[in-house]
Amino acid sequence: MKTRWYKDSVFYQIYPRSFCDSNGDGIGDIKGIISKLDYLKSLGITAVWLSPCYKSPNDDNGYDISDYRDIMDEFGTLDDWKEMIEGMHKRGIKLVMDLVVNHTSDEHEWFKQSRSSIDNPYRDYYFWRKGSGKDGKKPPNNWTSRFGGSAWAYDEQTGEYYLHLFSKKQPDLNWDNPKVRQEVVDICNYWFELGVDGFRCDVIIYISKQEGLPNAKWNPFTCGDEYFVIGPHYHEYIHEINQKSWSKYDIMTVGEGQGITVADAESMVAEPREELDAIFTFEHQEADARMSVVPRKFKLSRFKKIMTSWQNIPNTCWNSLFLENHDYSRSIPRYIKPEFRKEGAKMLAVTMNFMKGTPYIFQGQEIGMTNIEHFKPKDYVDIVSKNVYKIAKKIFPLVPVVKWALQKRARDHARTPMQWSAEENAGFTTGTPWMYVNPNYKEINVAEAEADPDSVLNFYRKINKFRVGNKIIKDGTYNEFYAKSDKVFVYARELHGVSYLVAANWTHKVVEFDLPEQFKGKTSKLVMSNYFDSKEEAGDCNLMPYEAVVWEIK
Ligand code: GLC
Ligand code: CA
């Protein structure tokens, strides 16, 4: 039944609100996606991960779902969606949807029922508790929301609190209730019957909470983690969904794995466990941040150590390769000096795409879109940025620190509208865009990249073509060299005596490269590089700023 097609795929992530607006209301939509399917095909990607497009009041841009079986009004209709998936399948592109079932919207019918009275049959779909403290006016425990503040909200109607690990409008579902798990199975099967090829499972590792919901060690950002990150019944519940739904179709699942380290990999994704097929780890995002929020100087050796540890997970497991998504700022300027935008973006593409795993390109990454250079507080629209800023204003000395952190890390950077052309609003909409357009769209856009044979876009096309179906990249061993270097990332992939040696200069200066001993005196040729005059045969050389080369060596 399972062909595990995803092992040979290149994914493209669409954040629908910011991708393409077809009707001038300033909001990206499904017809907009349909109009770009030929573009996606031309890019050589073979699967799409679509961020949520279900009915939602948009407290968190669709990650708060009020109806799992229908499409958000602003995005179109279920018929539009059917036309979209058909168009994808016709072009050989699979569609993976976002499954957001740690929580629903507070406007979901289940929650409306649940909050209406303590004996409503849906009461136990969520976590309701009485307040604590002498007068019962304190939240039931000290857990914090990942979006700031307490994880509990008081509800007048029944005088109890409900748990929300994200915003107040995202109440957590109670997975200990077998009915909730059956709902998840039914939702998955509903979409599989409509042709969906898999799910990216949103904050899936939070679904099982420690019985009794005990107080946790205090920490303003992650208080409670030890009681719900891969909680007591996590594996059991995921296996159950797998058995009742996922295993019955030739689909893939990839879980979002905040806080997952390489030590967890095997228990999370090893094939014999029949749980998830793959996971997104965020460990490498820590290379330039602490706890994913506090920026620090990027250190290549730290980054490589994490990447390499994941490359070496057991063969029963599978990796996800990504630098960007809708929750992180852009890799330019995170890893690359903007003056070297094109060389740098291509170097990152080489480094990531010769590794083992399934690569994900986030919309705009393929043209080297960048962060906003100077974000003003009023331009932030993300709920997290706004919350953090509000908290900072209460503790005034925090304002400059928070401004600095948001400028580096805000999720808004990734969510600015896709830059299609140099026309007004980057060709994203003819109306007023729902969010700030990066002013650099006049230089950085798809139309410009199409016209330039040397563009980042055309480089991604080349890489995708090279990668899909390539056995060495899919199955080869991984070996790293010069692990301690903070300048170069060098690794080899080998299968049946043929190697790809990848050498990437992660700095804006020229660096000397020494060919590792074991490759000396062998036959070699250059198969990929981001400079016209890279060395044709493997050997010692100078690597130019952000130069990346791949030699095939026999
Ligand atoms: C995940 C999503 C993020 C969302 C959160 C709550 O982390 O990627 O965008 O805000 O879950 O659903
Ligand atoms: Ca629209």
Side-chain angles (χ1 to χ4, degrees):
M1 192 81 221
K2 288 241 173 222
T3 62
R4 304 203 182 269
W5 51 266
Y6 53 87
K7 294 190 177 179
D8 246 329
S9 297
V10 175
F11 271 74
Y12 186 85
Q13 184 194 348
I14 295 180
Y15 193 71
R17 211 174 177 76
S18 305
F19 190 61
C20 179
D21 174 23
S22 72
N23 63 352
D25 68 354
I27 297 170
D29 47 50
I30 289 182
K31 286 219 154 78
I33 299 175
I34 295 173
S35 73
K36 299 297 181 189
L37 291 180
D38 286 333
Y39 170 73
L40 294 180
K41 174 79 188 160
S42 81
L43 187 54
I45 57 100
T46 59
V48 162
W49 154 25
L50 181 63
S51 279
C53 61
Y54 315 96
K55 282 223 188 308
S56 163
N58 279 307
D59 191 49
D60 186 19
N61 289 348
Y63 282 92
D64 47 322
I65 297 171
S66 53
D67 181 352
Y68 287 92
R69 290 178 170 79
D70 207 350
I71 301 300
M72 190 187 299
D73 293 331
E74 290 162 325
F75 290 172
T77 64
L78 195 57
D79 281 336
D80 296 339
W81 180 90
K82 285 180 181 162
E83 187 186 332
M84 176 189 74
I85 189 172
E86 201 186 307
M88 288 179 175
H89 285 168
K90 225 167 52 197
R91 289 169 179 81
I93 298 171
K94 307 249 189 212
L95 175 63
V96 166
M97 299 266 278
D98 221 303
L99 182 70
V100 188
V101 286
N102 171 70
H103 45 266
T104 67
S105 160
D106 66 340
E107 297 183 32
H108 193 288
E109 189 53 34
W110 303 335
F111 191 74
K112 287 190 196 162
Q113 293 283 338
S114 185
R115 80 180 341 165
S116 68
S117 77
I118 31 182
D119 44 22
N120 185 282
Y122 286 91
R123 186 66 168 181
D124 205 24
Y125 268 46
Y126 299 86
F127 293 95
W128 290 98
R129 295 293 184 275
K130 289 196 170 40
S132 67
K134 267 192 218 112
D135 51 4
K137 292 251 163 70
K138 279 211 200 121
N141 73 19
N142 66 352
W143 296 2
T144 49
S145 152
R146 282 359 179 207
F147 287 177
S150 166
W152 293 92
Y154 181 72
D155 198 51
E156 293 273 332
Q157 208 155 333
T158 54
E160 289 190 350
Y161 288 79
Y162 64 87
L163 178 70
H164 62 89
L165 291 178
F166 294 89
S167 93
K168 277 195 178 66
K169 286 184 68 62
Q170 294 168 299
D172 279 56
L173 280 167
N174 173 16
W175 277 60
D176 298 326
N177 181 347
K179 286 194 198 138
V180 167
R181 305 201 296 275
Q182 188 57 46
E183 299 275 12
V184 174
V185 167
D186 294 345
I187 291 166
C188 292
N189 291 346
Y190 168 84
W191 288 104
F192 293 150
E193 290 302 322
L194 288 174
V196 162
D197 301 292
F199 283 112
R200 173 267 186 185
C201 307
D202 188 69
V203 288
I204 195 74
I205 58 166
Y206 289 5
I207 57 165
S208 168
K209 279 88 176 167
Q210 176 72 48
E211 211 183 292
L213 313 176
N215 273 322
K217 212 171 99 213
W218 175 249
N219 169 324
F221 302 113
T222 56
C223 184
D225 261 15
E226 64 269 42
Y227 295 126
F228 58 75
V229 174
I230 322 183
H233 301 284
Y234 167 84
H235 292 291
E236 177 193 328
Y237 294 163
I238 294 298
H239 183 66
E240 180 183 331
I241 308 293
N242 178 305
Q243 295 302 288
K244 291 189 176 158
S245 170
W246 301 343
S247 61
K248 299 195 188 307
Y249 299 84
D250 189 20
I251 58 95
M252 73 90 73
T253 54
V254 52
E256 190 193 17
Q258 294 97 332
I260 295 301
T261 67
V262 71
D264 305 309
E266 194 164 6
S267 72
M268 305 287 298
V269 296
E271 287 173 17
R273 295 189 66 98
E274 303 180 301
E275 295 185 20
L276 292 166
D277 294 319
I279 196 137
F280 289 112
T281 169
F282 296 92
E283 274 200 286
H284 60 300
Q285 300 281 349
E286 302 283 310
D288 63 343
R290 280 175 220 279
M291 291 180 302
S292 170
V293 282
V294 187
R296 63 172 162 183
K297 198 166 182 283
F298 174 73
K299 208 167 169 213
L300 180 64
S301 52
R302 199 187 290 143
F303 179 84
K304 293 194 299 183
K305 195 170 166 201
I306 298 162
M307 295 306 292
T308 294
S309 68
W310 279 90
Q311 285 296 295
N312 289 327
I313 58 177
N315 272 334
T316 49
C317 303
W318 192 249
N319 264 313
S320 310
L321 308 167
F322 80 101
L323 290 176
E324 298 187 13
N325 72 19
H326 64 293
D327 290 332
Y328 288 91
S329 53
R330 296 277 183 184
S331 41
I332 303 162
R334 279 182 65 182
Y335 310 114
I336 304 294
K337 284 223 182 305
E339 308 88 273
F340 294 94
R341 187 181 66 86
K342 287 190 180 176
E343 294 84 349
K346 294 177 191 174
M347 181 282 286
L348 296 178
V350 171
T351 304
M352 298 303 287
N353 277 279
F354 279 79
M355 289 193 190
K356 187 171 184 161
T358 301
Y360 291 78
I361 303 166
F362 179 64
Q363 67 185 41
Q365 189 178 354
E366 80 277 23
I367 54 168
M369 274 176 66
T370 70
N371 280 358
I372 298 273
E373 226 172 296
H374 301 288
F375 243 130
K376 294 195 190 68
K378 70 167 174 44
D379 293 325
Y380 289 112
V381 292
D382 173 34
I383 177 168
V384 178
S385 311
K386 289 204 292 198
N387 278 356
V388 173
Y389 198 68
K390 224 190 286 167
I391 295 171
K393 279 207 297 205
K394 283 192 204 144
I395 315 170
F396 207 69
L398 275 185
V399 169
V401 184
V402 162
K403 271 195 181 162
W404 165 80
L406 284 177
Q407 179 59 49
K408 285 200 177 306
R409 301 291 286 195
R411 307 199 294 181
D412 303 72
H413 287 294
R415 300 174 179 191
T416 63
M418 178 72 186
Q419 292 163 207
W420 293 105
S421 71
E423 282 164 43
E424 211 183 341
N425 297 320
F428 161 72
T429 179
T430 53
T432 309
W434 73 280
M435 138 167 231
Y436 194 86
V437 178
N438 194 323
N440 67 16
Y441 74 86
K442 296 230 159 91
E443 299 87 58
I444 305 173
N445 61 65
V446 172
E448 179 277 334
E450 290 282 7
D452 171 10
D454 193 32
S455 64
V456 178
L457 175 65
N458 282 315
F459 193 74
Y460 262 103
R461 286 181 170 140
K462 200 161 114 187
I463 282 210
N464 291 342
K465 196 159 162 202
F466 189 91
R467 188 183 214 280
V468 175
N470 186 302
K471 291 240 171 342
I472 303 177
I473 297 178
K474 182 173 166 223
D475 296 324
T477 57
Y478 173 95
N479 241 309
E480 198 202 351
F481 302 89
Y482 312 122
K484 294 219 160 60
S485 166
D486 277 311
K487 295 180 178 159
V488 288
F489 199 155
V490 181
Y491 64 85
R493 303 294 314 281
E494 196 254 0
L495 188 73
H496 307 316
V498 185
S499 295
Y500 291 142
L501 180 66
V502 177
N505 176 359
W506 276 61
T507 77
H508 62 288
K509 298 197 177 127
V510 178
V511 301
E512 277 176 28
F513 168 73
D514 295 327
L515 186 68
E517 227 22 72
Q518 70 186 80
F519 297 112
K520 291 199 170 141
K522 298 204 164 170
T523 318
S524 66
K525 66 171 189 219
L526 186 70
V527 292
M528 193 65 65
S529 105
N530 59 347
Y531 272 70
F532 286 118
D533 47 1
S534 293
K535 201 166 168 2
E536 289 295 334
E537 282 173 5
D540 298 350
C541 63
N542 280 334
L543 291 171
M544 294 294 120
Y546 300 112
E547 180 171 355
V549 297
V550 183
W551 293 296
E552 185 190 286
I553 307 179
K554 284 186 197 158

